[in-house]
Amino acid sequence: MDVLPAATLPLAQTAGRVLAEAVRAPMPLPRFDNAAMDGYAVRTADVSGATVDAPTTLRLVAPSSAGQAMPPRMPAGCACPIATGAPLPAGADAVVMLEHAVEHDGAVLVSRPVDHGQHVRRRGEDAPAGSELLHPGQVLTAGQLVAAAALGRTTLQVRPPPRTTTVLTGTEVVRAGQPLGDHQVFDAVGPALQALLAGLGCGTATVGPLDDDPRLLAATLLEAAEGSDALITVGGASVGRHDHLKQVLRRHGELHTWRVALRPAKPFVFGVLAGTPLFGLPGNPASALAAYEVFVRPALLAMQGRSDNRLRLLRAELTESFSQAPGRLHLVRAHWWSRADRHLVRPVGAQGAGMVHALAAANAWMVVPAQIDHLPAGALVEVWPM
């Protein structure tokens, strides 16, 4: 799957985009030793014996203010009033908090000792010069924009979100809110896919549902391919008389994959149409969502060059036994939760591909290998949070 080309955008327009370059510090951060809080710059040796009952008296010198020039070197026995972010004068090695000092007649009385370096931000302690603060593949949030701005960056190279078009198929399918015929069903997959795609930052458009007509399907897909980075179809991917997707790809594009060893989602199709990758999802809701998670989501993340495109798998303890017919990797609709330091999981409801009750109750997929026919309660299984 090709990675989408990068574009340079103003910093304020890059939130949520995927970074396409490494961002290194051209200078150390901070650039100079400075105060971490308001107080008095001192030599730790001068206040080592200070107490509340016997404070140490130090002579005040000219203050150090943020944004001003470096103050002159501070002699022993002196203290420099200093503001947060102001440069630490040479000779000083710590800052006494305002709460632990009292000025009186051109001097300051310090009532507590401080450790070497206390309340001081050292030059380069945040980021040495040349260090990489931001990495290609990161999804940019406010924290990364703060870091980039602190380095003086005004623009960043980022990758655009993929533009996706979802084509719903099936004469028997109507969108919710439309009149429902005697033998028709509501589109149960389109809204969920639109939400999932938007959650990845993708541009989304949805077409259909289309009647089961191969010429209509071909024309619709070819038109959608012109403005899309990825096409997603729902339905029409199996072997029935009204399943036309394979025929359209063979005639107008390339058919690379049909049928996979996955339950649910066996009739999954992958191909290319007019240079645009096409993912053909089965029409049954559970099959469509399983195929999306296994095949579509990782591909769309890879197109953005995202570094977080691996599955998030947990190990959980099965709370009840589970049996299946072996032969295909099974994504079981399940509910997982944590108790103390343990992850627990249990299957929910009947696992038919067209059933929505189990999807409504599930918050995870329980991954059962193809060769397994029985798992006892207490077995450790892989869980993939939805």
Side-chain angles (χ1 to χ4, degrees), residues 3-384:
V3 179
L4 297 173
T8 300
L9 293 181
L11 202 60
Q13 297 178 20
T14 60
R17 296 294 185 95
V18 180
L19 186 63
E21 62 172 319
V23 177
R24 300 181 181 276
M27 56 194 175
L29 289 180
R31 293 173 53 214
F32 49 86
D33 293 352
N34 66 86
M37 60 181 56
D38 294 342
Y40 298 88
V42 299
R43 297 172 182 259
T44 53
D46 287 344
V47 295
S48 59
T51 66
V52 173
D53 296 329
T56 297
T57 301
L58 301 173
R59 181 171 60 87
L60 289 174
V61 298
S64 179
S65 300
Q68 302 299 313
M70 177 71 73
R73 185 176 186 85
M74 190 183 74
C78 294
C80 171
I82 195 166
T84 302
L88 193 73
D93 57 17
V95 172
V96 172
M97 297 171 59
L98 284 176
E99 295 87 336
H100 301 154
V102 176
E103 290 190 23
H104 181 69
D105 288 341
V108 62
L109 281 66
V110 178
S111 59
R112 293 189 187 181
V114 287
D115 296 328
H116 181 82
Q118 192 168 353
H119 307 313
V120 173
R121 301 167 180 153
R122 290 296 181 190
R123 181 179 187 269
E125 72 171 24
D126 188 5
S131 61
E132 187 174 305
L133 267 69
L134 305 180
H135 318 293
Q138 283 186 286
V139 179
L140 294 168
T141 64
Q144 283 89 47
L145 300 191
V146 165
L151 300 177
R153 294 294 297 263
T154 59
T155 62
L156 288 172
Q157 291 183 31
V158 294
R159 300 197 186 278
R163 300 164 300 168
T164 64
T165 299
T166 301
V167 178
L168 309 172
T169 70
T171 303
E172 78 283 9
V173 181
V174 297
R175 292 201 187 193
Q178 300 298 313
L180 190 65
D182 290 341
H183 301 99
Q184 291 184 309
V185 296
F186 287 124
D187 164 36
V189 177
L193 279 180
Q194 195 167 19
L196 290 168
L197 293 166
L200 295 185
C202 297
T204 65
T206 301
V207 179
L210 304 181
D211 287 340
D212 293 315
D213 179 334
R215 288 173 295 183
L216 175 61
L217 178 60
T220 301
L221 289 173
L222 287 168
E223 181 180 357
E226 294 182 4
S228 303
D229 298 306
L231 296 172
I232 302 167
T233 62
V234 180
S238 193
V239 295
R241 290 189 302 116
H242 302 292
D243 293 316
H244 303 301
L245 182 58
K246 300 188 301 299
Q247 172 189 340
V248 168
L249 281 173
R250 289 186 177 120
R251 180 171 296 178
H252 299 280
E254 306 166 23
L255 175 62
H256 291 289
T257 300
W258 176 56
R259 289 189 174 180
V260 291
L262 179 67
R263 179 187 301 132
K266 180 181 177 181
F268 169 76
V269 170
F270 175 72
V272 177
L273 190 70
T276 303
L278 183 148
F279 303 89
L281 308 184
N284 282 320
S287 299
L289 293 190
Y292 170 84
E293 291 292 346
V294 174
F295 302 113
V296 182
R297 183 177 181 275
L300 294 175
L301 293 177
M303 290 174 73
Q304 298 180 68
R306 282 177 60 161
S307 57
D308 60 344
N309 58 5
R310 295 190 177 183
L311 308 182
R312 180 193 170 208
L313 291 174
L314 305 173
R315 297 282 285 177
E317 181 182 330
L318 187 59
T319 62
E320 58 189 66
S321 63
F322 178 80
S323 298
Q324 67 169 16
R328 285 183 282 160
L329 179 70
H330 194 176
L331 295 185
V332 179
R333 278 137 284 171
H335 181 80
W336 78 275
W337 69 101
S338 296
R339 179 182 299 160
D341 58 348
R342 298 161 60 204
H343 293 307
L344 304 172
V345 66
R346 64 175 180 84
V348 292
Q351 295 291 315
M355 295 182 173
V356 298
H357 180 269
L359 281 173
N363 65 358
W365 303 97
M366 185 175 79
V367 183
V368 182
Q371 70 274 16
I372 298 295
D373 61 2
H374 179 75
L375 289 168
L380 290 178
V381 296
E382 288 189 331
V383 172
W384 184 358

